[in-house]
Amino acid sequence: MNPDCILELPNDLRSIERAVQYLMDRGRDAGFDRERLRLNFRVGVSEALANAMLYGNGRDPAKRVRVEARISPDAITVRVTDEGRGFNPETLPDPTLPANRVSAGGRGVFLIRKLMDRVEFNERGNSITMILLAERERETGS
Amino acid sequence: MGFDVKKQSGITVIDVEGQLIVGNRQELKQKVLQELENGERKFLIDFARTGYIDSSGLGVLVSLSKKIREQGGELRLANLNEDLRTLFELTKLDTLFQISSSREEALSSF
């Protein structure tokens, strides 16, 4: 990805909302679907940032989270990278199974996968790349 | 942004103003658990003024529902907007909670 926006965030949950709002504003200014920004983009990026800060960086205030984004009217690509050791996303249980529905956690990556159009992790598992397509691009591709 | 707790027809009603997210979920949890400790058993969380709930917020609702049920009580939800309802449906949490489309409907359902 050749990013046109790079953010270096402190490992502070309070920075999530501002960063996500900034990226949503950039998407809106670029002419991306407002509805998909409001739900799909907001949830996907917020969850990725929270996971990076809580689990990737283990709440360590000395660590940082890097956000790279490429924004166009047709698609937004966002990569979130933490300084942690990474994890294996394939081992996550399905939170919608009846036995898991009563669990307090485990829905973040699930929601990212449901709401973004493409989701990839790097081999180490400390970097997630998410692509959200504009509605018309999804229709063209289907 | 915050949580407004009041009593209505013997039910503890909590209005969530703004967002229920990883940064404020503990505040909601503490408020509800305090009411539970005080002997309250019927809870309604009203999302009429809520724009966004993240997965941590969903998790705290699941956790509170479990704790309230363990004490013989019940937690119900009302006024989810279209986006919030989508999140509940995707995660199948709509099968776990009784969700009403208005506060009045929820209050009369207890």
Side-chain angles (χ1 to χ4, degrees):
Chain A
M1 177 176 51
N2 184 21
D4 46 30
C5 170
I6 297 174
L7 306 175
E8 289 278 350
L9 303 181
N11 206 60
D12 183 341
L13 294 171
R14 290 171 297 186
S15 67
I16 292 177
E17 190 181 348
R18 201 165 150 210
V20 172
Q21 188 60 54
Y22 172 76
L23 293 170
M24 285 171 67
D25 289 346
R26 292 280 304 257
R28 198 182 56 235
D29 291 347
F32 196 86
D33 295 347
R34 288 184 180 217
E35 203 169 306
R36 288 176 64 70
L37 283 173
R38 195 190 65 234
L39 178 65
N40 303 65
F41 184 82
R42 184 185 201 177
V43 174
V45 179
S46 298
E47 296 294 343
L49 289 174
N51 282 346
M53 292 177 185
L54 290 172
Y55 308 115
N57 284 345
R59 295 177 180 265
D60 182 347
K63 291 183 175 172
R64 300 182 75 77
V65 174
R66 182 180 174 88
V67 182
E68 298 160 272
R70 183 159 185 83
I71 298 165
S72 79
D74 301 327
I76 303 182
T77 303
V78 179
R79 179 175 296 152
V80 174
T81 306
D82 60 57
E83 297 183 58
R85 276 188 261 171
F87 77 113
N88 180 359
E90 304 311 318
T91 60
L92 296 174
D94 179 351
T96 65
L97 293 176
N100 298 334
R101 273 179 225 169
V102 292
S103 171
R107 295 181 181 84
V109 173
F110 173 84
L111 282 174
I112 293 170
R113 284 185 163 136
K114 282 286 181 189
L115 292 168
M116 303 301 262
D117 291 299
R118 281 178 223 147
V119 178
E120 290 173 9
F121 290 86
N122 66 349
E123 197 173 347
R124 176 168 146 189
N126 72 324
S127 182
I128 180 172
T129 303
M130 304 166 282
I131 300 177
L132 184 67
L133 301 174
E135 191 59 45
R136 62 178 176 279
E137 292 298 311
R138 299 180 83 224
E139 287 163 0
T140 308
S142 62
Chain B
M1 197 161 81
F3 308 102
D4 182 32
V5 182
K6 57 171 78 80
K7 302 287 182 329
Q8 202 169 336
S9 311
I11 297 160
T12 303
V13 181
I14 301 111
D15 284 298
V16 178
E17 314 245 358
Q19 306 182 89
L20 175 57
I21 55 175
V22 64
N24 68 358
R25 61 180 167 162
Q26 287 302 331
E27 187 187 341
L28 174 68
K29 191 171 185 175
Q30 282 164 8
K31 282 180 187 270
V32 172
L33 291 181
Q34 183 61 56
E35 296 293 333
L36 189 65
E37 202 171 300
N38 292 345
E40 301 296 336
R41 291 294 179 267
K42 294 177 181 175
F43 292 86
L44 169 62
I45 301 184
D46 191 330
F47 293 100
R49 284 179 279 176
T50 313
Y52 179 54
I53 304 176
D54 70 6
S55 66
S56 295
L58 294 173
V60 87
L61 295 175
V62 172
S63 167
L64 285 172
S65 174
K66 191 177 168 195
K67 285 182 188 300
I68 291 168
R69 271 204 313 274
E70 284 169 358
Q71 299 295 321
E74 192 160 359
L75 169 63
R76 295 182 183 176
L77 312 178
N79 282 318
L80 295 175
N81 68 29
E82 195 181 333
D83 287 354
L84 301 185
R85 192 165 273 279
T86 298
L87 295 178
F88 273 77
E89 288 170 0
L90 283 174
T91 53
K92 292 198 164 57
L93 289 181
D94 57 328
T95 65
L96 213 64
F97 290 97
Q98 183 164 327
I99 302 170
S100 299
S101 54
S102 73
R103 180 186 293 226
E104 292 70 30
E105 183 188 313
L107 288 171
S108 63
S109 72
F110 275 94

